[in-house]
Amino acid sequence: MKEIRLDKFLGEMGIGTRSQIKEMAKKGRISVDGVPEKKTDRKIDPEQVEVTVDARKIAYAAFEYYMLNKPQGVVSATEDRRYETVVGLIGDRMRDDLFPVGRLDIDTEGLILITNDGDLTHQLLSPKKHVDKVYFAKIEGDLPFDAKEQIEQGIELLDGTPTLPAKLEVLKVGTLSEIRLTIREGKFHQVKRMFETLGCNVVYLKRLSMGSLQLDETLEPGEYRPLHQEELEELKRHGKEKRTDHVKQ
């Protein structure tokens, strides 16, 4: 990889701000290949040298990818003054520039990808790609008899906003019905608004998948793990595909 400034490297790895790192160097707390380094603007190749802070080796990761089972009550953001954030749940992250790929409402659970890979994020969120997102929901109210047909044709939300064709599977019918919905876009509160249009109310919502990435059901809400290499490779392949077809039936 190309060389980067020592303070930039340490900042990206979450060690501190540029001024904090400069102060650490002045106190002899930072070493490169075992030699104390006072010049934090020095350029290094993190893959070729060993950098330590207070004798602790600082490993380097250009990119990180985590699958999180988002719990309710946590916001899909990097920072927030009122609520805990999805990024804050990633306790052993190496980098300090991670962000969520897309958003889930504060009361929505399920799959969310946390990374710092901007290119992959663009591929997955680009409206031109039509990446499938699958949700499980519990809903109150009677579904119209032709709900599946309406959703598969694309419905118009109450405010006049049109939606792309989607796929609805009714798993259980009752006072509290259960459904699985596959959509190819991510409008604000889209799933809830779609069912409001049908005269129903979503009382529980969980995202099960995004593109090729499936939620690891062994993860309890709030738990996470790094993506497996196979998952990452498949996700990148999926993101590069240009989708022009309808939702997979």
Side-chain angles (χ1 to χ4, degrees), residues 36-149:
E37 179 58 70
K38 299 292 181 68
K39 296 181 178 179
T40 56
D41 60 352
R42 168 187 172 179
K43 290 191 174 183
I44 63 166
D45 182 342
E47 296 180 349
Q48 300 297 323
V49 300
E50 180 179 277
V51 178
T52 60
V53 177
D54 296 331
R56 176 172 66 91
K57 182 178 178 180
I58 308 301
Y60 180 73
F63 296 107
E64 289 189 281
Y65 307 87
Y66 295 97
M67 172 192 299
L68 169 70
N69 185 356
K70 178 192 170 299
Q72 295 184 13
V74 176
V75 295
S76 301
T78 56
E79 56 183 25
D80 190 274
R81 292 183 178 180
R82 293 183 59 193
Y83 299 101
E84 190 170 17
T85 69
V86 291
V87 172
L89 294 177
I90 312 299
D92 56 356
R93 64 188 187 273
M94 294 171 60
R95 299 189 61 94
D96 201 36
D97 57 354
L98 302 185
F99 52 81
V101 177
R103 291 179 179 273
L104 293 178
D105 295 343
I106 190 170
D107 59 350
T108 299
E109 297 181 0
L111 174 69
I112 192 163
L113 175 64
I114 309 294
T115 185
N116 63 316
D117 189 337
D119 289 340
L120 178 61
T121 298
H122 173 73
Q123 294 292 334
L124 294 174
L125 298 182
S126 172
K128 297 179 180 179
K129 296 294 182 178
H130 300 318
V131 173
D132 289 352
K133 304 170 189 67
V134 181
Y135 293 84
F136 168 80
K138 295 180 180 181
I139 58 175
E140 293 177 333
D142 296 325
L143 279 170
F145 73 93
D146 62 345
K148 292 180 65 174
E149 289 74 15

